[in-house]
Amino acid sequence: MSSVNKWTFDLVGNSGKNASRNAKLDPPGFGETRELAKNVKSQQSAEEAEERDNQIANLKMKKAWETSLAPAKSIPMNAIMLYMSGNSIQIFSVMVTVMLLWNSLKAIMGTNTVYERFSTRAPGTEPKGLNALLSLASDPLIMPKIVYVLMQGGCVALGVWKCGAMGLLPTSSSDWLAFLEPKKVLEQSFGGAVSFM
Amino acid sequence: MSAGPSRPTLGFLLAAVLLLLVSSASAFIHADQAGLNDWHKTLVGTPRFAFYTRPARKGQLIVGTERNVLASLNTKTGDIVWRQVLEPFDELKALKLDGPALTSISGTTALHTRQWDAPSGSLVWDYEHPVAMHSLSAAADIARVNEDVIALVNGNTITRLAGEDGSVSWTVTSDSGATYERLYVFEDAIYAIGAREASSALEICVLKVDLKDGKIVSEYQPPNGHVHSLTGVYLYGDQTTANVLWNGVDRAYRHALGQTAETDELDELFGLKDPRIHSVLDYQETSLIVVGSENKYSVRTIKSSLHTFSGEQASSVFSSASVSGQVYISCVRSGETEADIELVSLSHNDSPQSVFTASLPLDRNVSGEIVKTALDVIPTPGDKSQASGGPPPVFRVFAVTADGSTRLFKSGEVIWSREESLTAATTAEYVDLPEKSMLSQEHDELDELPEETASHSGMERYLRRLRTHLAKSAHYPQHLLKTIQSFTDSKTDSKARSDLFADFFGVRKLVVFASKTGKVVALDTENGQTVWERYFPKSHFEQIETVRAALVRFPPILTLISRNKHSVDVKRINALTGSDISAESFHDIRKVIKLPVEETEDRTHVLALVGNDQKLYFSPSTPSALEAFATIAPQFHLYLTEGIGASEIEGFSVESSNAGNQSFSLKSTWKLTFPVGETIAALGTPSPGDEKVASLGRVLGNRSVLYKYLNPNLLALATIKTTGGVPGAPDFTSTVFVYLLDTVTGTVHYRSEHEGAGDVWPGVPSVFVEQRDNWAVLSYWNHGPEAVPQPELPASTGAENNADGGEALPSRKKLVRKKKRKAGSVGGAAAGEQSLTPIATPDAKGYEIVALEFYESSKPDQRTDSETFSSFHSKRPHVLSQTYAFAKRISAIGATVTRAGITTREILLGLADGHLYGVSKRLLDPRRPIAAPTADEKEEMLYPYRPALDFNPKAVASYDLHVAGIQHVRAVPTKMESTSLVVAFGLDVFCGRRSPSKTFDLLSESFNYMALLATIAACVMGIWFSKRLSERKKVKDLWR
């Protein structure tokens, strides 16, 4: 079969495999093409395959870096939104801030899920337990992941700054006033007027 | 609540609460809430004068009382028909009722004769006697001639006033030096009876004045006229003679008025052995003498004896009344549990006879004996023959008892009684009622000591706990039922409860009043009803201390402290029933102090008594009390002052000596003598240790903190210095000084002077100090720039001042008063600086209130970092102050107290015009910005400063009630943080609740519990129904 020219169409022949099929209904060359395609694949050389894999890996890394930097792009937009919502404690400003913080934290938590599709490992072969930790260093995605977390951290910082601006952070002494213990008085004094009014 | 930006976690909550606060600074009530949570007792005081009015059917009883009140009481109900409350300094001296005209003489600094219309109580005319200021203490008397009023005032001046309009017919003054106190009109002359100082006693003087032209006819001393006091002098008259009778130094005499040289001894005249005149009873035409001889009383005229009362008669009180020609005399004798009354009829033709005897219910332990009576006999038409066996006449006896309360007996029954002894109350104390669960078995367990608990086995303890819970669960259905009932009927009548247990909100307490007459009354704060009352003879209570709160199984104990001339009696009573527990008596005691330690036997607080011998005594005087004190002796400090009017204050510490018995004596540590002329005008009371302060600092707009200077030993006091007579006099000056004093070390932390400030009039106290937490409030009357003391100007400015000459005063008016004074102005350098910058007073007279607040530092976020506070190492506080003008006269000052101290305080002012008025502390805040408020100040929600504190009718705690004569305001926390219970007393008693920040922890009265329950029920139903539906749908889907 391998000797068969790939541009050859056997318009009449009946290979016997598809005898049961009503070949009349197939478009010309249909049955043959499918079989031919299989042959083409197997013909590719190992070098080619390797090159392709590299290409895909590079592509994936590129995509991974893009994903890592995506949150940074949203920071200015978020900053504007926070600025617009004002520093008073209202449902809108609080909602915006909480959403920002929440989304960022959620994103950080879901980092591995986000980068799963960029992984070059075959699915189901992820190392488990201690091996996962050891393989971190060799994971090519480690840098994008760190950058991604940093970028999301930037968003969190923005939210925290906003909380601070709204006065929701315990940064001033008045915030710790309630936890102050009254001073213990060492002397006790009693007395008053001897005669009454 | 500290207004301002919030803590992170509480941001929302606080913002919401603040919104509530801002919406209304004052809590007010709706018209239909009036009287629901408050009560008011209108009182008149203990009567000194009492008259029945005619006609008897619409009977009124006119009284003039020790509290300077003229009032008319309904004889059927005891209710007040009308009431005229005279000022405390307008002392009622004489009162006379003649038909519809009621005449009174009153005053201490200015004497007034007033005529009132008895049925309506309205003033007809008022005449001010133009007499000198200084001899006004003498008694006064009134006589009536035709329609005219003869008034004896000042001890030497007799004035005849026209009854119609009070115009003066004539006035005459005797300058013989005698003091006259009684008037008697006989024939064409007026006799004034008085006395003048003789060698060892008083000598009776008689002044005869012509009735028509007011000329002195004669002035003489009858022979043998020596008496101890003028109370033993009586006037007697009948159609033909006028006599003065007196209990002389050794025997009794009679003198016929107008006959200078004649005096008869009564033993000869009456034929009795050692007669002493008890009283002389008056009625229209003639008088009757009640004379006592050999322990028997008899009634007689000068000529003949009429009736002799039988039996031993130690404390009899007589009164008389006449009706349709017949004279009745009542004789009341007080026994232990009842009083016997005997009514004697004296008629012209029949022999006198006893027509009625009865026993009146009267417990000596509750009200004391009867000291004064007024008899009224109601005429029975067409029946003039009571003497001949007819029914006894209907009669009423108005009785005043030794405790000061009054009651009316009608034919032997008490018709009504009035607790007028409350008007003599000197102090009041709240008693928390015991928790119901506290008395349960559960607390038998909780009450035992750990060793005791350990002695039981675990199983035993478990069974015991189980039993307790079972016993409790038996009450549960009932409790549930009650709870549901209270839901459906929001206005449950909790007022009818008689069991003495605390309610859920802690608003039901007892308030115990102790009076200087020896009466102790416990009232229920929910409804004002008397829970118990006691009378202690010969006691003058001036202090009550709760020595044991309602504790587990033990009843609360009150200690009543009564001061007699030389001794101090300490009586312990059960606060829930008033029954005696124990009594101790101490001699030569200066001061009684409740200590914060308990003795171990009865778990009562120990009282320390400071003796004149500089030693400490303890009550109870047990070794365990001594031991308890020994634990706090090293940190115990004491300060004493003679009180208002004193010019010194002294501090002591305690030294213990172990020679033989352990004893403690005082060692003087400091003594502060105020500058010459300054006397104490008002003393604050350092905050008691059990009062909670929610926040240790004040949060500013930029979220920094000003730390409060919380020194429980800090005493705020005000002194006053006046010169030159009375206000209005040309050289009158007055200044009030405020001191903040550490009572441990005697350090003066702050002193400021308010020039021109003082009492509005001598004898009308206007300087008050209230002190709590880290603030004090001072009120005074501002006399204006005229009363500012002339500053001793240095030579340079002195010349300028001389150039002004006579215009010195107006020029000073222009100066603006410097309201704030920095701390430490006592120092010499500061004083020199001050005299260079003249301080002026606003050209306005009026009441002013100064708010002072003390902080640890003038800069925010600065705090002395220390776990402990010692007065010896304390830095000087930073004091802020601001002054506000207030339009009403203040007669008492107090402040609300809440459970945790979170709620904004409210300063409670008793106003002289009969209101209890609440001013939010946010208005009396020295941080109120004077310039336009900055963003930070806005954030802090400070009100901009306004010189005047407006009178806001919504802030009147007593709404439209007229609460007359408030002298004391006491507040106590309830279990609700928002609410403070307040009692104002003096003359009237008013008890109510105050919620300065609104009742944020209480659902409104109109809250619809039914709607809530219905909603919940509907929701539950809906959930159940939709669950069914969804289950059915699921099953259907599965079958598909």
Side-chain angles (χ1 to χ4, degrees):
Chain A
M1 287 268 270
S2 63
S3 62
V4 179
N5 195 315
K6 75 183 194 182
W7 293 107
T8 307
F9 288 97
D10 181 11
L11 294 173
V12 188
N14 205 342
S15 63
K17 266 188 187 170
N18 294 327
S20 62
R21 256 173 54 189
N22 193 351
K24 278 178 190 164
L25 292 178
D26 283 341
F30 176 72
E32 293 79 10
T33 314
R34 281 203 311 180
E35 280 163 28
L36 278 172
K38 275 183 196 164
N39 300 336
V40 169
K41 224 176 197 170
S42 57
Q43 278 170 5
Q44 280 170 342
S45 67
E47 289 86 35
E48 276 178 329
E50 200 176 317
E51 197 181 335
R52 260 178 67 144
D53 279 352
N54 272 340
Q55 265 174 9
I56 286 169
N58 282 341
L59 211 63
K60 278 185 174 177
M61 272 313 274
K62 209 178 150 195
K63 276 282 168 200
W65 277 110
E66 263 171 37
T67 313
S68 298
L69 295 172
K73 287 175 193 153
S74 74
I75 287 180
M77 203 261 296
N78 275 324
I80 288 171
M81 264 178 72
L82 293 181
Y83 170 73
M84 296 300 273
S85 62
N87 278 347
S88 56
I89 298 175
Q90 287 165 355
I91 185 96
F92 185 69
S93 56
V94 169
M95 222 161 67
V96 166
T97 317
V98 168
M99 288 302 277
L100 177 69
L101 285 173
W102 181 243
N103 285 341
S104 307
L105 290 176
K106 223 162 65 177
I108 291 172
M109 290 296 150
T111 310
N112 282 334
T113 339
V114 172
Y115 284 91
E116 212 163 77
R117 60 201 168 104
F118 304 123
S119 172
T120 42
R121 278 197 193 96
T125 61
E126 287 92 0
K128 294 264 162 22
L130 196 65
N131 287 336
L133 210 64
L134 292 173
S135 66
L136 259 184
S138 58
D139 188 353
L141 284 175
I142 187 69
M143 279 314 285
K145 275 183 184 175
I146 288 172
V147 171
Y148 179 78
V149 168
L150 282 178
M151 290 300 142
Q152 292 291 5
C155 281
V156 171
L158 200 66
V160 170
W161 169 79
K162 176 70 180 176
C163 283
M166 286 200 294
L168 296 179
L169 290 187
T171 50
S172 67
S173 49
S174 60
D175 300 313
W176 304 98
L177 191 60
F179 305 103
L180 277 183
E181 283 295 312
K183 289 178 184 175
K184 189 171 173 280
V185 180
L186 295 182
E187 298 95 9
Q188 286 175 300
S189 184
F190 303 88
V194 169
S195 62
F196 280 75
M197 289 145 259
Chain B
M1 189 174 285
S2 61
S6 39
R7 284 162 227 142
T9 44
L10 295 173
F12 283 115
L13 193 75
L14 233 87
V17 171
L18 281 176
L19 265 178
L20 273 177
L21 295 186
V22 171
S23 60
S24 154
S26 59
F28 53 90
I29 60 166
H30 294 283
D32 58 338
Q33 290 172 314
L36 275 183
N37 293 329
D38 55 72
W39 48 266
H40 175 215
K41 280 185 192 295
T42 45
L43 299 170
V44 296
T46 305
R48 288 173 62 206
F49 310 95
F51 311 96
Y52 290 96
T53 59
R54 294 285 169 201
R57 184 153 304 178
K58 279 174 151 186
Q60 283 183 23
L61 183 69
I62 308 280
V63 291
T65 71
E66 285 169 0
R67 294 300 305 261
N68 309 328
V69 176
L70 302 177
S72 170
L73 305 176
N74 185 327
T75 45
K76 292 205 171 67
T77 58
D79 294 337
I80 294 172
V81 180
W82 56 260
R83 176 171 76 152
Q84 292 283 359
V85 183
L86 305 183
E87 292 287 348
F89 51 88
D90 201 5
E91 187 198 329
L92 185 64
K93 291 187 157 161
L95 188 68
K96 191 137 194 145
L97 180 73
D98 186 31
L102 181 70
T103 315
S104 71
I105 297 178
S106 61
T108 46
T109 54
L111 289 170
H112 287 265
T113 299
R114 295 190 181 96
Q115 182 136 315
W116 314 82
D117 179 47
S120 69
S122 54
L123 182 67
V124 181
W125 51 259
D126 182 345
Y127 173 74
E128 183 175 346
H129 293 269
V131 288
M133 277 288 300
H134 297 294
S135 53
L136 302 172
S137 55
D141 201 7
I142 301 164
R144 292 192 68 103
V145 176
N146 303 327
E147 290 294 297
D148 286 4
V149 175
I150 316 268
L152 164 67
V153 294
N154 211 12
N156 63 356
T157 306
I158 301 174
T159 309
R160 179 166 177 165
L161 302 163
E164 215 162 79
D165 56 358
S167 57
V168 181
S169 304
W170 50 258
T171 180
V172 61
T173 305
S174 153
D175 45 13
S176 66
T179 306
Y180 293 98
E181 292 196 351
R182 307 278 174 77
L183 279 182
Y184 196 82
V185 178
F186 181 65
E187 290 174 343
D188 285 338
I190 301 160
Y191 295 93
I193 315 299
R196 64 175 192 188
E197 295 283 337
S199 53
S200 62
L202 295 170
E203 190 178 14
I204 291 175
C205 295
V206 177
L207 177 72
K208 185 177 179 187
V209 175
D210 190 278
L211 192 58
K212 294 222 169 58
D213 54 7
K215 293 276 184 311
I216 295 179
V217 179
S218 62
E219 188 166 11
Y220 62 91
Q221 291 84 42
N224 293 326
H226 292 280
V227 289
H228 286 301
S229 77
L230 274 174
T231 51
V233 179
Y234 301 92
L235 287 160
Y236 168 89
D238 54 27
Q239 286 91 340
T240 52
T241 56
N243 301 280
V244 53
L245 308 159
W246 65 92
N247 291 322
V249 175
D250 46 0
R251 41 181 56 171
Y253 298 94
R254 189 253 342 217
H255 165 71
L257 287 173
Q259 286 147 5
T260 317
E262 279 181 30
T263 301
D264 303 315
E265 287 184 13
L266 281 189
D267 9 5
E268 286 172 21
L269 196 68
F270 293 170
L272 292 168
K273 195 184 171 204
D274 288 336
R276 297 303 274 183
I277 303 156
H278 179 276
S279 54
V280 171
L281 307 173
D282 280 318
Y283 65 96
Q284 270 92 1
E285 299 99 31
T286 178
S287 310
L288 293 167
I289 307 163
V290 179
V291 65
S293 166
E294 297 174 301
N295 265 334
K296 293 221 169 168
Y297 286 106
S298 55
V299 183
R300 58 173 299 134
T301 61
I302 286 284
K303 294 189 191 91
S304 58
S305 176
L306 297 172
H307 180 79
T308 304
F309 291 98
S310 55
E312 184 87 6
Q313 319 218 327
S315 57
S316 299
V317 183
F318 299 91
S319 57
S320 68
S322 74
V323 58
S324 49
Q326 265 190 319
V327 179
Y328 294 93
I329 291 180
S330 70
C331 166
V332 177
R333 293 179 296 270
S334 305
E336 275 305 314
T337 54
E338 54 189 20
D340 296 323
I341 183 164
E342 185 178 358
L343 191 67
V344 177
S345 149
L346 308 168
S347 56
H348 294 301
N349 31 23
D350 292 319
S351 60
Q353 70 170 88
S354 192
V355 290
F356 185 83
T357 53
S359 291
L360 309 174
L362 185 82
D363 193 340
R364 210 177 246 222
N365 283 329
V366 166
S367 60
E369 69 235 33
I370 291 172
V371 292
K372 218 178 276 173
T373 55
L375 176 71
D376 185 33
V377 180
I378 298 163
T380 39
D383 179 24
K384 291 192 177 180
S385 56
Q386 274 103 4
S388 53
V394 178
F395 69 96
R396 294 182 287 217
V397 174
F398 177 65
V400 180
T401 47
D403 63 340
S405 61
T406 58
R407 58 205 71 209
L408 188 86
F409 299 104
K410 188 174 182 183
S411 301
E413 297 287 317
V414 180
I415 302 293
W416 51 261
S417 64
R418 293 180 63 84
E419 196 53 82
E420 302 292 353
S421 60
L422 289 174
T423 62
T426 50
T427 180
E429 178 85 3
Y430 289 94
V431 177
D432 285 327
L433 295 174
E435 298 282 340
K436 205 163 206 169
S437 61
M438 281 289 193
L439 293 178
S440 74
Q441 222 179 343
E442 188 177 343
H443 280 78
D444 281 8
E445 303 168 46
L446 296 183
D447 186 41
E448 55 190 29
L449 298 168
E451 308 89 72
E452 222 174 308
T453 314
S455 68
H456 300 290
S457 73
M459 191 62 197
E460 204 176 330
R461 287 206 298 264
Y462 176 74
L463 282 176
R464 195 168 59 162
R465 172 62 51 86
L466 209 63
R467 268 203 305 277
T468 308
H469 286 187
L470 274 176
K472 268 185 133 180
S473 64
H475 299 291
Y476 189 71
Q478 202 185 351
H479 175 74
L480 198 70
L481 210 68
K482 256 190 198 164
T483 317
I484 291 167
Q485 265 175 3
S486 70
F487 276 158
T488 53
D489 178 19
S490 58
K491 281 169 196 164
T492 326
D493 195 20
S494 61
K495 311 218 162 189
R497 289 187 315 176
S498 58
D499 55 339
L500 281 176
F501 289 110
D503 61 338
F504 188 65
F505 294 127
V507 287
R508 188 171 185 238
K509 296 174 196 288
L510 294 186
V511 55
V512 180
F513 294 91
S515 74
K516 54 181 179 242
T517 58
K519 178 91 174 205
V520 184
V521 185
L523 300 181
D524 188 332
T525 56
E526 281 283 270
N527 50 26
Q529 279 164 8
T530 305
V531 177
W532 55 263
E533 49 185 327
R534 288 290 307 275
Y535 171 71
F536 297 92
K538 290 183 195 127
S539 294
H540 310 281
F541 294 116
E542 57 180 30
Q543 196 178 346
I544 313 181
E545 299 289 356
T546 309
V547 291
R548 186 169 75 197
L551 181 84
V552 194
R553 283 166 301 170
F554 302 113
I557 295 180
L558 284 182
T559 303
L560 306 166
I561 294 140
S562 155
R563 188 182 290 270
N564 292 328
K565 204 167 182 187
H566 294 295
S567 68
V568 162
D569 295 329
V570 178
K571 294 186 169 70
R572 289 181 171 230
I573 58 168
N574 182 324
L576 298 181
T577 60
S579 55
D580 286 322
I581 290 173
S582 67
E584 284 177 293
S585 190
F586 297 87
H587 289 281
D588 296 322
I589 295 298
R590 292 182 74 193
K591 177 85 187 158
V592 182
I593 294 157
K594 178 185 163 187
L595 297 176
V597 289
E598 293 177 355
E599 43 92 26
T600 47
E601 283 159 34
D602 289 328
R603 298 203 194 173
T604 59
H605 279 273
V606 179
L607 297 183
L609 296 96
V610 184
N612 282 334
D613 53 356
Q614 306 287 62
K615 279 207 167 106
L616 281 183
Y617 301 90
F618 299 97
S619 168
S621 37
T622 56
S624 93
L626 212 65
E627 273 168 39
F629 177 73
T631 60
I632 62 157
Q635 65 256 33
F636 179 85
H637 292 264
L638 181 76
Y639 68 96
L640 291 177
T641 165
E642 290 297 320
I644 308 297
S647 60
E648 280 182 346
I649 183 161
E650 194 174 2
F652 302 91
S653 67
V654 173
E655 273 183 333
S656 79
S657 60
N658 276 318
N661 297 333
Q662 195 177 26
S663 70
F664 296 95
S665 56
L666 297 176
K667 189 179 78 174
S668 178
T669 48
W670 55 268
K671 186 172 191 171
L672 178 72
T673 308
F674 299 113
V676 180
E678 282 184 34
T679 56
I680 294 176
L683 277 169
T685 41
S687 273
D690 51 358
E691 244 179 62
K692 295 223 173 67
V693 182
S695 173
L696 297 183
R698 188 163 163 171
V699 182
L700 306 187
N702 57 5
R703 302 174 68 207
S704 56
V705 179
L706 265 185
Y707 289 99
K708 293 178 182 174
Y709 181 77
L710 293 166
N711 177 357
N713 301 324
L714 194 73
L715 172 72
L717 64 91
T719 60
I720 186 168
K721 180 181 182 179
T722 56
T723 56
V726 296
D731 55 345
F732 175 80
T733 67
S734 180
T735 312
V736 167
F737 303 87
V738 187
Y739 287 83
L740 293 180
L741 195 68
D742 191 306
T743 52
V744 172
T745 59
T747 318
V748 176
H749 280 314
Y750 174 81
R751 179 184 191 259
S752 70
E753 57 185 279
H754 298 270
E755 290 176 332
D759 289 331
V760 62
W761 194 259
V764 187
S766 318
V767 183
F768 296 98
V769 172
E770 177 68 22
Q771 179 194 359
R772 296 287 159 127
D773 306 349
N774 72 323
W775 54 263
V777 167
L778 163 81
S779 85
Y780 56 78
W781 168 263
N782 182 7
H783 289 286
E786 296 87 12
V788 173
Q790 203 75 34
E792 286 162 26
L793 293 171
S796 57
T797 52
E800 197 185 304
N801 195 46
N802 288 341
D804 283 341
E807 281 196 338
L809 285 180
S811 73
R812 280 231 305 280
K813 283 182 188 175
K814 290 171 197 157
L815 298 167
V816 181
R817 183 172 202 177
K818 193 179 154 197
K819 294 281 185 192
K820 285 190 197 175
R821 223 58 76 73
K822 286 277 178 284
S825 61
V826 204
E833 192 184 74
Q834 263 178 25
S835 60
L836 283 170
T837 48
I839 291 140
T841 307
D843 188 14
K845 296 184 180 187
Y847 287 95
E848 289 181 4
I849 301 178
V850 185
L852 299 142
E853 282 191 4
F854 334 130
Y855 293 100
E856 285 205 3
S857 165
S858 59
K859 293 191 190 72
D861 285 346
Q862 284 195 0
R863 186 178 195 230
T864 320
D865 275 320
S866 168
E867 294 278 296
T868 57
F869 177 88
S870 167
S871 293
F872 293 104
H873 306 118
S874 158
K875 279 200 281 183
R876 200 157 261 176
H878 173 66
V879 180
L880 299 175
S881 76
Q882 243 171 27
T883 307
Y884 304 88
F886 188 61
K888 305 273 180 175
R889 177 145 73 88
I890 297 164
S891 63
I893 192 163
T896 57
V897 190
T898 52
R899 199 179 184 197
I902 297 168
T903 309
T904 316
R905 293 259 198 181
E906 192 175 55
I907 290 104
L908 297 160
L909 305 172
L911 302 184
D913 46 359
H915 298 304
L916 181 65
Y917 184 70
V919 185
S920 171
K921 186 69 187 64
R922 295 187 60 211
L923 289 167
L924 283 176
D925 178 0
R927 297 200 70 252
R928 285 174 68 174
I930 290 168
T934 62
D936 277 353
E937 281 160 349
K938 274 185 193 153
E939 182 87 351
E940 207 183 329
M941 294 205 235
L942 294 172
Y943 297 121
Y945 178 79
R946 292 187 58 218
L949 206 59
D950 293 331
F951 183 79
N952 175 10
K954 282 182 184 174
V956 178
S958 53
Y959 44 102
D960 65 338
L961 300 173
H962 180 77
V963 187
I966 299 173
Q967 287 175 320
H968 308 272
V969 180
R970 296 283 154 87
V972 78
T974 63
K975 284 183 203 162
M976 287 180 285
E977 171 54 32
S978 67
T979 306
S980 175
L981 204 61
V982 177
V983 161
F985 62 101
L987 178 65
D988 286 2
V989 182
F990 174 79
C991 176
R993 300 178 196 172
R994 286 309 279 164
S995 317
S997 303
K998 293 195 150 189
T999 50
F1000 53 80
D1001 49 4
L1002 194 66
L1003 286 174
S1004 74
E1005 291 260 314
S1006 54
F1007 186 82
N1008 198 339
Y1009 289 96
M1010 277 319 281
L1012 179 73
L1013 286 179
T1015 314
I1016 292 171
C1019 283
V1020 169
M1021 285 291 290
I1023 289 167
W1024 178 77
F1025 192 67
S1026 52
K1027 194 184 167 196
R1028 287 282 304 270
L1029 281 182
S1030 75
E1031 270 171 9
R1032 263 170 60 187
K1033 190 166 179 287
K1034 254 187 211 162
V1035 173
K1036 265 185 187 166
D1037 285 348
L1038 284 175
W1039 276 108
R1040 212 170 259 170

